[in-house]
Amino acid sequence: MSSNLKDKAKTAANKAAAMGEDIDLAKFTRTAEPQQYETDPSRLDAATKNKMLEAGVILDDPRARTGTFIQIDNTPIHSSVKQDGVEVMPVSQAMQKYNWLGDYYWKAVAVDTDKFTASVELGQNDGYFIRTAPGTKTDFPVQACLYLSKANLAQNVHNIIIAEENSELHIITGCATSLGNEPGLHMGVSEFYIKKGAKVTFTMIHSWNPEFAVRPRTAAIIEDNGLFLSNYVLMKPVHTIQTNPVARCNGENATARFNSVLVATPGSNMDVGSRVYLNGKASRTEIISRAITTGGYITARGYIEGNAPDVKGHLECRGLLLENKGAIHAIPELKGTLPGIDLYHEAAVGKIAEEEVEYLMARGLTRDEATATIVRGFLRVDIEGLPPMLSEELQRAIKDSEKDLM
Amino acid sequence: MLEIKDLKVAIEGKEILHGVNLTIKSGETSVLFGPNGSGKTTLLMTIMGFPRYQVTGGAIIFRGQDITHTSLDERARLGIGISFQRPPVVRGVKTRDMVLAAMKDKSQPDAVNTLAGKSDLLDFLDRDINHGFSGGEIKRSELMQLLAQQPEMVLLDEPESGVDLENIALIGRLINELLQKGSPMHGRNAMGLIITHTGHILEYVNARNGYIMLDGLIGCMGDPREILTEIKNRGYEQCAQCTFRSAQHVF
């Protein structure tokens, strides 16, 4: 099986992605010095911990975390878990432990999607495996950090997440780098399997640098009554990112929700979307994206396809231009293949309405205060289904980044 | 005291107010009648200081200070407040945020709940401001924000429009609190200028003076209820004739 995958990957090794600017992989190195395993990640140096904290990964006081996985460059340096019924380990370890993992490996994302999936299969720099046993509900989120410290490195990670029947799993993933202004490339494949009645919330915060290239490839398969809730926050500079995670709501009453908050500073080029296939009867989805540019370029995509009776989908792309430079290109798409489906979208791109600014100024706020309040409100996404603690953390991450924006 | 002297105002180059004179003393409430397009809202928006309304002549004096060219937010902080007739929806900005932003005394944020309670808007505090609000809810929300702001000069643009009969009494109570009607006249600072089409609000709020605005000029000062009866009986056309006679006067 593995050689088949490798052969298939090789056929796509030079295949450009369907979206986003092409990247010459030859410019990046694939090797990095192995990192030392750390049983107590609070002993990592303060600068590294701070960078990880910016991406929502708490190492000094992990009481509010069920488990932790950290990978620096190509080496998983820590994995631990505190709750029975929850597994957190490097995916290489999981492959050795479970023969059946092959049933999940490259089953949600096609290995020959493009040169980046091919690179992940051929490069094999580990990644995380997280699984909840049937009926287990995580007390606190599991946190995972994918970190890059070596300049010009291409990091290839493959993550597999399985929520068994009727389990509930909350994950917060922080992707960050210690590199100030040196280039790097992060390629991450994440495959989610959400079984009957299971619920997964996946909150991902990215904190890269202005020279960084990022190509995540994510897909989720959701069975009957399952829920996949994905929140993505990218408010720090990045050179280029292109991602278009896919959710397949294959089960009856399966639900997928995507929320994205994007801020593009000058020099940042973001092509971020979400794609949902409503294949199960009465399955539903909501895709909400908020995009702000202060000079960068954002393509905000959304695609919903209704292929089963009684499905519902709502897509909302809203973009705000704060400066007279940069651009936001919203591309909402809907496709229905049978009658009786209910899909709709809203998209709006523009500057802050003067009427709204004046409304707040009439209450005594200065123009700057009024603008800041409106921007803060724009970025506030009320996320249904996210536990209050995670919701607070997410809002805090957004608020911290707002300081750079104003 | 608010004094408006020979105020001329243009919107996008077109003169709308042609020399308005009006004085409102501390503690007094005045009512402004007039047909659609006569310039009533323009007058209120100009007093508040919205940039779209360009003052081309005359002056606005508030508590002895010439504020004719003072900015909108500065006027709000000086003590002028307005209830919007059709306020915008601001997505993501909660009603609670607006009340807190407006609050004059920021040392007691819990007062938001008290204000929401008396405005019957407790369930609206965590909703986006004005999003999906009915006409009556918008009016109550506007008054709640003004109660937080505690302005000395209260500008109300048709506070009863779109409000059902059940709610109009509540609107009246909120306005009376805003205008400190519970205090004796000599202890009151708050002044009010209320635009009304129907005059329903006069059943709940006492006003000392009434004015009619026609074609960008004010005329016919008098008892508001008498003016209302006159308008009902004879229409604005008859008032127009009166206006020609009274336009020479400075109120």
Side-chain angles (χ1 to χ4, degrees):
Chain A
M1 176 204 69
S2 184
S3 63
N4 283 347
L5 283 170
K6 292 249 182 293
D7 290 343
K8 216 172 170 187
K10 280 177 192 164
T11 64
N14 295 311
K15 182 178 171 186
M19 297 162 191
E21 66 186 90
D22 198 18
I23 294 172
D24 182 2
L25 298 183
K27 285 184 177 172
F28 296 89
T29 175
R30 292 180 174 276
T31 53
E33 299 69 39
Q35 304 278 332
Q36 198 179 349
Y37 191 83
E38 182 57 80
T39 49
D40 178 5
S42 70
R43 288 199 300 233
L44 289 171
D45 65 85
T48 302
K49 283 193 293 184
N50 270 341
K51 283 284 176 190
M52 291 183 180
L53 190 60
E54 276 181 18
V57 177
I58 305 168
L59 298 179
D60 279 336
D61 182 12
R63 277 177 297 182
R65 296 290 185 253
T66 284
T68 298
F69 173 89
I70 302 168
Q71 175 161 339
I72 296 181
D73 298 334
N74 292 343
T75 319
I77 65 133
H78 176 87
S79 63
S80 61
V81 70
K82 295 189 291 195
Q83 189 181 341
D84 289 344
V86 183
E87 293 176 278
V88 178
M89 66 184 83
V91 77
S92 57
Q93 191 181 325
M95 289 293 277
Q96 287 176 348
K97 186 174 179 183
Y98 296 122
N99 294 331
W100 48 257
L101 197 52
D103 297 342
Y104 296 87
Y105 206 68
W106 293 113
K107 291 296 187 276
V109 175
V111 68
D112 58 352
T113 302
D114 54 32
K115 61 162 78 171
F116 305 107
T117 53
S119 175
V120 168
E121 173 58 19
L122 299 170
Q124 291 283 357
N125 302 137
D126 234 306
Y128 55 78
F129 170 79
I130 302 173
R131 176 171 172 252
T132 39
T136 303
K137 292 184 174 19
T138 51
D139 301 329
F140 296 102
V142 172
Q143 63 182 357
C145 182
L146 300 166
Y147 194 77
L148 239 134
S149 68
K150 181 179 175 178
N152 290 306
L153 179 68
Q155 185 186 47
N156 299 283
V157 292
H158 194 153
N159 310 310
I160 295 183
I161 300 96
I162 302 170
E164 299 288 358
E165 288 188 10
N166 299 311
S167 66
E168 190 172 317
L169 170 62
H170 303 285
I171 302 173
I172 182 156
T173 292
C175 294
T177 178
S178 59
L179 302 168
N181 273 321
E182 290 169 291
L185 170 62
H186 169 81
M187 291 171 280
V189 168
S190 300
E191 299 187 275
F192 291 81
Y193 299 91
I194 296 144
K195 304 290 183 66
K196 288 179 182 172
K199 172 179 176 179
V200 172
T201 76
F202 181 69
T203 301
M204 182 155 72
I205 300 171
H206 275 181
S207 181
W208 304 110
N209 77 30
E211 298 303 323
F212 232 82
V214 186
R215 292 292 184 269
R217 298 290 179 258
T218 303
I221 293 174
I222 309 148
E223 297 182 1
D224 292 357
N225 300 307
L227 167 71
F228 177 58
L229 171 52
S230 164
N231 305 303
Y232 179 52
V233 177
L234 176 57
M235 299 178 72
K236 305 280 187 190
V238 65
H239 174 59
T240 168
I241 180 166
Q242 186 275 315
T243 182
N244 201 17
V246 177
R248 295 180 194 280
C249 292
N250 291 346
E252 195 168 330
N253 294 316
T255 303
R257 289 202 200 104
F258 286 94
N259 299 289
S260 315
V261 175
L262 309 169
V263 175
T265 47
S268 293
N269 193 337
M270 303 176 175
D271 187 330
V272 176
S274 310
R275 211 170 165 85
V276 180
Y277 294 87
L278 298 171
N279 300 328
K281 184 174 185 284
S283 58
R284 52 203 179 274
T285 188
E286 185 166 57
I287 299 174
I288 292 179
S289 83
R290 298 273 185 274
I292 289 184
T293 176
T294 60
Y297 195 97
I298 300 176
T299 304
R301 298 176 194 270
Y303 177 89
I304 303 175
E305 186 174 312
N307 299 319
D310 306 325
V311 300
K312 281 186 177 175
H314 170 222
L315 170 55
E316 184 183 311
C317 289
R318 294 175 60 210
L320 202 54
L321 294 113
L322 294 187
E323 306 283 343
N324 288 324
K325 52 190 177 179
I328 297 174
H329 184 181
I331 310 175
E333 292 182 84
L334 304 176
K335 180 178 177 185
T337 59
L338 73 174
I341 58 169
D342 179 8
L343 307 180
Y344 72 106
H345 75 72
E346 313 165 59
V349 174
K351 60 176 187 171
I352 294 179
E354 185 62 17
E355 183 193 24
E356 294 177 19
V357 176
E358 289 180 356
Y359 184 49
L360 272 71
M361 288 174 74
R363 301 292 182 240
L365 273 65
T366 63
R367 178 168 286 278
D368 285 351
E369 288 167 343
T371 305
T373 303
I374 292 166
V375 170
R376 203 173 301 128
F378 180 85
L379 291 173
R380 179 152 52 190
V381 182
D382 295 325
I383 297 167
E384 194 188 328
L386 195 64
M389 191 184 81
L390 261 176
S391 186
E392 280 166 27
E393 284 192 32
L394 187 64
Q395 294 303 341
R396 195 161 49 239
I398 292 171
K399 205 170 177 182
D400 285 348
S401 297
E402 274 169 18
K403 291 171 198 156
D404 305 333
L405 189 61
M406 307 298 177
Chain B
M1 190 160 79
L2 177 81
E3 294 170 88
I4 294 172
K5 298 178 177 174
D6 196 24
L7 187 69
K8 291 176 182 156
V9 175
I11 300 175
E12 291 165 5
K14 186 185 175 198
E15 190 171 281
I16 307 292
L17 302 184
H18 307 296
V20 169
N21 292 290
L22 180 70
T23 298
I24 301 172
K25 292 179 182 159
S26 281
E28 283 185 6
T29 298
S30 296
V31 175
L32 195 55
F33 300 98
N36 288 334
S38 59
K40 305 184 299 296
T41 297
T42 296
L43 177 61
L44 254 63
M45 301 299 258
T46 307
I47 296 170
M48 191 67 232
F50 285 93
R52 183 166 174 257
Y53 301 83
Q54 295 160 328
V55 177
T56 54
I60 305 169
I61 314 290
F62 178 58
R63 295 193 308 198
Q65 182 183 342
D66 186 339
I67 60 160
T68 315
H69 301 291
T70 302
S71 67
L72 164 65
D73 54 317
E74 184 63 29
R75 290 188 209 195
R77 291 193 294 275
L78 282 171
I80 301 178
I82 191 163
S83 154
F84 284 68
Q85 200 183 354
R86 289 183 200 86
V89 172
V90 191
R91 295 302 295 271
V93 174
K94 306 296 176 193
T95 307
R96 181 187 300 280
D97 301 333
M98 284 299 294
V99 180
L100 279 168
M103 197 166 277
K104 192 176 183 184
D105 178 5
K106 296 197 194 297
S107 65
Q108 293 185 325
D110 292 347
V112 175
N113 291 328
T114 312
L115 290 174
K118 69 170 71 162
S119 310
D120 197 15
L121 288 171
L122 273 170
D123 293 342
F124 289 72
L125 284 177
D126 295 315
R127 281 175 55 173
D128 290 357
I129 187 74
N130 304 322
H131 183 58
F133 286 22
S134 70
E137 287 154 0
I138 282 177
K139 299 297 179 196
R140 281 185 275 133
S141 160
E142 288 295 299
L143 293 171
M144 172 170 67
Q145 292 171 53
L146 287 180
L147 282 168
Q149 194 181 342
Q150 299 174 31
E152 209 171 307
M153 177 74 234
V154 179
L155 306 168
L156 305 176
D157 196 349
E158 295 189 47
E160 76 275 53
S161 77
V163 180
D164 56 41
L165 281 174
E166 232 171 80
N167 274 305
I168 197 159
L170 173 56
I171 294 279
R173 277 201 301 279
L174 296 173
I175 294 174
N176 283 329
E177 181 174 342
L178 202 51
L179 295 171
Q180 304 165 350
K181 295 289 189 188
S183 305
M185 183 71 189
H186 58 82
R188 258 184 243 159
N189 293 321
M191 301 167 263
L193 181 57
I194 305 175
I195 292 177
T196 178
H197 267 298
T198 62
H200 285 155
I201 201 66
L202 291 173
E203 291 169 32
Y204 302 91
V205 178
N206 276 323
R208 174 173 285 256
N209 298 313
Y211 301 90
I212 292 180
M213 178 165 266
L214 283 166
D215 296 329
L217 283 169
I218 279 184
C220 293
M221 176 187 171
D223 178 88
R225 286 187 179 79
E226 285 178 19
I227 291 182
L228 185 64
T229 309
E230 196 75 1
I231 295 167
K232 279 179 181 164
N233 292 340
R234 304 172 64 185
Y236 284 117
E237 272 185 30
Q238 291 292 322
C239 295
Q241 292 173 16
C242 175
T243 301
F244 284 121
R245 292 197 300 276
S246 5
Q248 310 306 318
H249 300 289
V250 174
F251 297 105

